[in-house]
Amino acid sequence: MPTPEDILIVGGYGVVGRLVSEHVAPLFPGQVWIAGRDRDKAAEACRALGHGTRPRAFDMDDPAAVATALSGVGTVMVCVAQRAPHLLHRAAEAGLAYTDLSPRLAFGSGLPALAQSARQSGARLLLGTGLSPGISNVMARRLADQLGSVDSVQTSIFLSLGDSYGPDSLRHVFESLERPFEVQRDGRTRRAYPFGERLRVTFPAPFGPRTTYMFPWSDAVNYPATLGARSAVGRFALDPAWLGSTAGLLAQGRLLPRVARAALAHEASAAVRWLKQRYAQRADFALVVEVEAAGRRCSMSLVGSKQAYVTAAAAAEMLRMLAAREISAPGLWFAEQVIDPERFFGALGRAGWPVQTHG
């Protein structure tokens, strides 16, 4: 049976989850459980990982199964998409430490009640611990500290179609294309459309200037509350560039949601696989976060290849901080609220992912 010191990694045999498990298992020998619906896959991952990892199977869409799976566990990380936030709410009620890669289910009117539940139970909930949200949030925090205040935050991400990512990541992108979203601009909430606005953004070498498009990256949602930003916008650039420009043209004609729904259908999956194979040798990525305050502008960047690896390194470090109680305050948090930027970026650099500051 699990003990209160144990760590449950849900989806620990997936693309990013497996990498997270590889980071965490040696740090907590005999305390890591690899979990998911398929016990055979979990067991296979445990045999490969070693360090006393153990498999656990459960259906996270079943509230009763979730309660059983979390019994005795002290820290839980979710590396897969959730249809309903049963794990998150159960962790809040039970006083656990919880984190995830993509917290989109947590946004909305339920956040205050969830935060209150966590404070009452002693739970420590850290939402979003990957590339964005995650690294991008800590960059925004670091730049806000440097400038002393925040007027605007802009997150720009460059991704290559040939990169490695799991089906949940691809589905998240397509689902995000289906509907309008809200952005904060000059202190006002405005409606925006995915790929509905373009802007040239200069990424670090070797990328240079690229056309970026509006996109609902979830790191920007809470910057008005957590950093005091009057404007917070997310942008997306694609390689190959023609894919982004095509999406932009479809967005102008309000056809992008229809195409996105088709891409989620089974008939379109073969075309997506064909495109990924054609561009399989192109797996570069870049992240740029820019903060402006009182006419001053600074930015931070991270570039590399195969973003799943840096996503896992960041998630594993934040998971380690939770499990080691370096994040000790009960409540519901985003990375910019509880992660020390210097310590975090130091750990990321030692893992082979140095960040750069500009201006």
Side-chain angles (χ1 to χ4, degrees):
M1 290 294 294
T3 69
E5 293 76 30
D6 283 352
I7 300 168
L8 188 75
I9 303 179
V10 183
Y13 51 78
V15 173
V16 176
R18 179 69 168 261
L19 296 170
V20 172
S21 301
E22 289 177 1
H23 282 282
V24 175
L27 302 177
F28 299 92
Q31 295 176 230
V32 175
W33 293 74
I34 307 300
R37 286 189 175 89
D38 192 323
R39 193 184 190 284
D40 290 339
K41 290 183 179 179
E44 180 183 353
C46 289
R47 287 192 292 271
L49 287 166
H51 301 288
T53 55
R54 290 164 286 178
R56 193 167 184 83
F58 74 101
D59 181 358
M60 64 180 178
D61 293 328
D62 179 352
V66 166
T68 301
L70 295 184
S71 176
V73 170
T75 305
V76 58
M77 177 163 206
V78 183
C79 300
V80 292
Q82 303 175 66
R83 296 178 184 174
H86 300 310
L87 279 164
L88 175 60
H89 285 279
R90 178 61 183 173
E93 295 166 0
L96 306 182
Y98 169 98
T99 189
D100 54 28
L101 290 177
S102 179
R104 59 187 181 275
L105 281 169
F107 293 130
S109 60
L111 279 182
L114 194 60
Q116 182 178 2
S117 176
R119 289 191 295 270
Q120 291 174 343
S121 69
R124 294 164 292 130
L125 313 177
L126 177 58
L127 303 185
T129 56
L131 182 68
S132 175
I135 297 175
S136 57
N137 298 66
V138 187
M139 285 180 169
R141 172 81 272 165
R142 172 68 180 80
L143 294 168
D145 292 344
Q146 180 175 326
L147 292 174
S149 62
V150 175
D151 291 333
S152 68
V153 182
Q154 178 174 278
T155 300
S156 301
I157 301 178
F158 172 90
L159 294 177
S160 301
L161 186 63
D163 205 346
S164 297
Y165 40 81
D168 285 342
S169 297
L170 190 62
R171 176 169 290 276
H172 171 49
V173 170
F174 283 134
E175 287 177 345
S176 298
L177 299 176
E178 289 190 75
R179 62 187 71 90
F181 60 99
E182 293 182 343
V183 297
Q184 191 82 2
R185 279 192 160 166
D186 299 321
R188 298 177 60 188
T189 300
R190 303 183 182 184
R191 171 168 286 199
Y193 293 87
F195 284 80
E197 176 188 296
R198 66 182 65 193
L199 180 73
R200 294 289 280 182
V201 170
T202 299
F203 290 92
F207 305 109
R210 300 277 178 157
T211 299
T212 65
Y213 302 86
M214 289 278 284
F215 194 80
W217 298 121
S218 53
D219 72 314
V221 172
N222 288 287
Y223 288 151
T226 60
L227 297 179
R230 289 177 52 80
S231 300
V233 176
R235 299 190 179 276
F236 192 14
L238 276 169
D239 179 42
W242 66 262
L243 199 57
S245 60
T246 300
L249 289 173
L250 291 169
Q252 289 179 17
R254 296 289 188 264
L255 297 174
L256 192 56
R258 186 184 305 174
V259 173
R261 285 191 291 273
L264 284 168
H266 176 72
E267 308 85 57
S269 61
V272 172
R273 287 196 301 271
W274 179 83
L275 283 170
K276 281 182 58 64
Q277 290 172 359
R278 181 178 179 182
Y279 294 98
Q281 302 306 313
R282 294 156 69 167
D284 294 330
F285 74 89
L287 165 67
V288 175
V289 175
E290 182 180 84
V291 172
E292 187 173 358
R296 297 175 59 201
R297 184 178 299 174
C298 295
S299 65
M300 295 186 73
S301 63
L302 174 66
V303 299
S305 181
K306 298 182 179 179
Q307 60 84 25
Y309 287 85
V310 70
T311 295
E317 173 60 14
M318 295 190 196
L319 174 59
R320 184 200 65 78
M321 296 170 86
L322 275 173
R325 301 195 72 86
E326 293 176 18
I327 300 171
S328 58
L332 183 148
W333 309 109
F334 298 92
E336 69 269 25
Q337 295 177 288
V338 291
I339 300 293
D340 178 80
E342 305 309 319
R343 292 185 64 183
F344 175 73
F345 289 129
L348 210 58
R350 290 190 294 274
W353 299 100
V355 300
Q356 303 294 324
T357 303
H358 314 275

